[in-house]
């Protein structure tokens, strides 16, 4: 039985990954979820797995060396899947420091703990151990509107404090692979969407606001392009890279699903109108008139687009969920989890929203 240390497992992608892994491997794996439970971490996301014998939750900060070392000392960890991060670009523009602490220093603490636990006296590493560093396509910078893709060989060119901190963490992982032959992979994924996504990000924010008849903030001209991937496809990609990816390699994950932000908003509005039954009072609130152009994000990257050729060729991954299906599943999930949305948007979220948007 393999033991996985998942960091940031109470967040959006981490919790989806944990659900995916238990569905796939059932009782053949043990997952230890180490999470600080910041505003983005939510144990509600893991209610259905919390009583499993092969699931353990540890509340800790990845920057806390003692706490992280203790997890390695008390468990025979086979795999680290490192999600924990500050993940929102807008927050990084307002307060960069925590991004460097968590994303850079936290990654270093984890690398050192795994290296100390896995390194043999001759400087090689125990067979079968792997550290998978979950990163983002934002490290590659911004593409022209009319062409080009991010390949694994594209030079790093981060623009926001968030992407700079993720690029730094990638560089640290690369340096451990090059210097120590530390057994790792890096994955750089495009924009995810799906269940449990915190409504500071575009898709859940638009769904939540539209259902309440609140304005829908569009940055700049709304024509920035993102390459959207259903979160379960990301989880599958991570699992495949973990099992079949060549050590020391980077894999881009993304699904040739480029859309302008304004297109995404129109798709959400149309899908909501289609899915809400006649007579549901929310149907009247969902209107194109809610679209509100606001000041652009500072340093706003124009276009992201992943070339997933390598991950397809080497590990056989491809995106299985078409956007039209993924967005319906996501909206359906939000319909069925109104309480979840109410809980995460009460308290501090209101303060964040008012300071951020002023609309
Ligand atoms: P998220 O913000 O939803 O979740 C982050 C999780 O990390 C939360 O549970 C939080 O409590 C935890 N965390 C934060 N700081 C911590 C610390 N110091 N110690 C321990 N836990 C801490 O993020 P997400 O969207 O699920 O992203 C997960 C990872 O995937 C990140 O590394 C992000 O850079 C990367 N990524 C995200 C996307 C995307 O579209 N969301 C795309 C590509 C890559
Ligand atoms: O590309 C991968 C990245 O995708 C991840 O590394 C990040 O963790 C994740 O947050 C996401 O970053 P983005 O900045 O692309 O996602 P976000 O949902 O914040 O914004 C998507 C696009 O929508 C972007 O062009 C900004 C725009 N936007 C966003 C918000 C929140 C708006 O126009 N209005 C909004 O209110």
């Amino acid at each position: 039985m393999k033991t996985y240390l998942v960091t940031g497992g109470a967040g959006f992608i981490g919790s989806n990954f944990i659900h995916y892994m238990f569905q796939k491997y059932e009782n053949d794996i043990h997952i230890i979820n180490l999470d600080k439970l910041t505003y983005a971490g939510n144990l509600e996301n893991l209610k259905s797995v919390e009583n499993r014998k092969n699931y353990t939750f540890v509340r800790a900060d990845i920057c806390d060396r003692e706490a992280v070392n203790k997890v390695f000392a008390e468990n025979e960890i086979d795999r680290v899947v490192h999600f924990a991060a500050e993940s929102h670009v807008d927050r990084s523009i307002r307060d960069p420091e925590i991004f460097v602490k968590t994303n850079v220093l936290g990654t270093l603490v984890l690398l050192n703990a795994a290296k100390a636990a896995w390194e043999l006296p001759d400087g090689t590493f125990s067979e079968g151990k792997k550290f998978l560093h979950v990163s983002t396509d934002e490290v590659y910078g911004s593409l022209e509107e009319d062409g080009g893709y991010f390949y694994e060989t594209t030079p790093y060119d981060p623009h926001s404090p968030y992407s700079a901190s993720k690029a730094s963490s990638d560089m640290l992982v690369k340096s451990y692979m090059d210097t120590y032959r530390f057994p790792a992979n890096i994955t750089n994924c495009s924009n995810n969407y799906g269940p449990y996504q915190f409504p500071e990000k575009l898709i859940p924010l638009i769904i939540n606001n539209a259902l309440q008849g609140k304005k829908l903030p569009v940055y700049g001209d709304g024509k920035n392009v993102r390459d959207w991937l259903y979160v379960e496809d990301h989880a599958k990609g991570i699992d495949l890279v973990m099992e079949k990816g060549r050590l020391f390699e980077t894999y881009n994950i993304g699904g040739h699903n480029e859309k302008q932000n304004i297109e995404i908003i129109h798709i959400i509005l149309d899908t909501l109108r289609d899915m809400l039954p006649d007579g549901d009072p929310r149907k009247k609130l969902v209107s194109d008139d809610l679209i509100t152009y606001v000041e652009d994000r500072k340093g706003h990257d124009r276009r992201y687009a992943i070339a997933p050729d390598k991950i397809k060729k080497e590990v056989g991954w491809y995106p299985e969920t078409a956007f039209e299906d993924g967005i319906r599943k996501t909206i359906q999930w939000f319909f069925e989890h109104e309480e979840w949305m109410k809980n995460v948007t009460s308290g501090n979220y209101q303060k964040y929203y008012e300071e951020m948007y002023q609309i």
Side-chain angles (χ1 to χ4, degrees):
M1 184 196 258
K2 285 197 184 80
T3 297
Y4 287 72
L5 173 62
V6 174
T7 70
F12 162 50
I13 307 176
S15 56
N16 276 285
F17 176 76
I18 291 174
H19 288 298
Y20 174 75
M21 293 297 278
F22 280 136
Q23 269 157 30
K24 179 167 175 187
Y25 295 102
E26 296 181 352
N27 294 322
D28 295 340
I29 55 170
H30 176 207
I31 293 183
I32 301 168
N33 172 17
L34 183 147
D35 197 300
K36 182 182 174 184
L37 299 183
T38 66
Y39 77 93
N42 185 354
L43 290 180
E44 283 296 307
N45 300 0
L46 294 159
K47 266 262 162 275
S48 64
V49 304
E50 68 182 12
N51 293 324
R52 293 185 75 105
K53 285 202 180 72
N54 54 344
Y55 170 76
T56 310
F57 175 67
V58 177
R59 185 170 189 179
D61 188 330
I62 52 166
C63 300
D64 179 344
R65 202 184 312 147
E66 263 178 44
V68 173
N69 284 338
K70 190 164 176 268
V71 172
F72 277 92
E74 291 175 355
N75 301 276
E76 180 67 45
I77 306 287
D78 299 297
R79 304 283 166 84
V80 175
V81 189
H82 177 32
F83 293 99
E86 289 293 334
S87 70
H88 192 37
V89 174
D90 292 326
R91 289 184 192 256
S92 82
I93 294 166
R94 295 151 65 93
D95 180 15
E97 199 170 318
I98 185 70
F99 284 74
V100 175
K101 266 194 198 140
T102 294
N103 300 1
V104 186
L105 294 178
T107 299
L108 185 70
V109 167
L110 274 173
L111 286 168
N112 283 336
K115 179 173 174 289
W118 294 346
E119 198 168 23
L120 301 169
D122 66 357
T124 62
F125 287 86
S126 306
E127 199 55 36
K129 306 289 186 188
K130 195 183 262 194
F131 186 106
L132 193 142
H133 178 60
V134 180
S135 192
T136 168
D137 61 357
E138 301 204 9
V139 299
Y140 298 121
S142 184
L143 292 163
E144 296 299 321
E145 266 172 14
D146 54 356
Y149 291 98
F150 294 139
Y151 290 89
E152 288 78 0
T153 49
T154 303
Y156 275 28
D157 183 23
H159 297 132
S160 71
Y162 162 69
S163 53
S165 69
K166 291 296 291 187
S168 309
S169 65
D170 292 12
M171 293 300 176
L172 278 173
V173 178
K174 280 180 202 285
S175 79
Y176 273 56
M177 297 194 283
D178 292 347
T179 306
Y180 309 110
R181 304 299 283 165
F182 178 75
N185 284 124
I186 299 172
T187 53
N188 293 90
C189 189
S190 62
N191 285 64
N192 286 213
Y193 69 99
Y196 305 111
Q197 189 167 29
F198 193 77
E200 64 188 353
K201 308 283 164 63
L202 181 71
I203 287 184
L205 187 145
I206 295 299
I207 295 172
N208 185 40
N209 280 18
L211 286 170
Q212 295 177 67
K214 286 191 183 158
K215 289 181 178 168
L216 310 177
V218 185
Y219 298 165
D221 64 3
K223 293 186 177 157
N224 300 67
V225 171
R226 296 292 181 266
D227 182 357
W228 295 95
L229 182 72
Y230 191 61
V231 62
E232 195 177 66
D233 280 331
H234 187 186
K236 284 179 189 164
I238 289 170
D239 177 43
L240 278 171
V241 169
M242 189 96 65
E243 293 311 310
K244 297 186 181 167
R246 285 183 294 134
L247 280 180
F248 319 121
E249 292 292 320
T250 288
Y251 294 90
N252 283 353
I253 309 183
H256 283 310
N257 182 45
E258 291 177 52
K259 295 210 183 323
Q260 292 183 342
N261 296 333
I262 193 69
E263 281 181 75
I264 292 285
I265 292 172
H266 281 296
I267 293 172
I268 293 173
L269 291 172
D270 289 344
T271 312
L272 284 172
R273 280 188 284 255
D274 185 47
M275 289 176 72
L276 284 166
D278 291 339
D280 187 313
R282 293 173 298 177
K283 196 160 183 161
K284 285 210 184 85
L285 301 174
V286 176
S287 158
D288 291 10
D289 297 340
L290 299 173
I291 293 174
T292 307
Y293 286 87
V294 299
E295 194 187 332
D296 206 354
R297 175 184 276 174
K298 289 185 173 65
H300 198 174
D301 287 335
R302 193 62 175 167
R303 174 173 164 256
Y304 301 149
I306 286 277
D309 310 26
K310 181 174 171 181
I311 191 169
K312 272 188 189 155
K313 188 165 166 243
E314 292 197 8
V315 310
W317 178 89
Y318 61 95
E320 290 175 39
T321 311
F323 189 73
E324 309 78 70
D325 300 330
I327 199 71
R328 288 185 89 85
K329 281 205 238 182
T330 303
I331 289 173
Q332 185 60 37
W333 188 89
F334 281 109
F335 283 166
E336 288 163 9
H337 293 81
E338 277 184 61
E339 273 307 302
W340 182 95
M341 185 59 96
K342 267 193 202 137
N343 291 341
V344 302
T345 52
S346 64
N348 284 341
Y349 179 82
Q350 292 306 330
K351 191 166 169 279
Y352 161 79
Y353 193 88
E354 278 155 29
E355 283 174 13
M356 177 69 208
Y357 290 102
Q358 292 146 11
I359 52 170

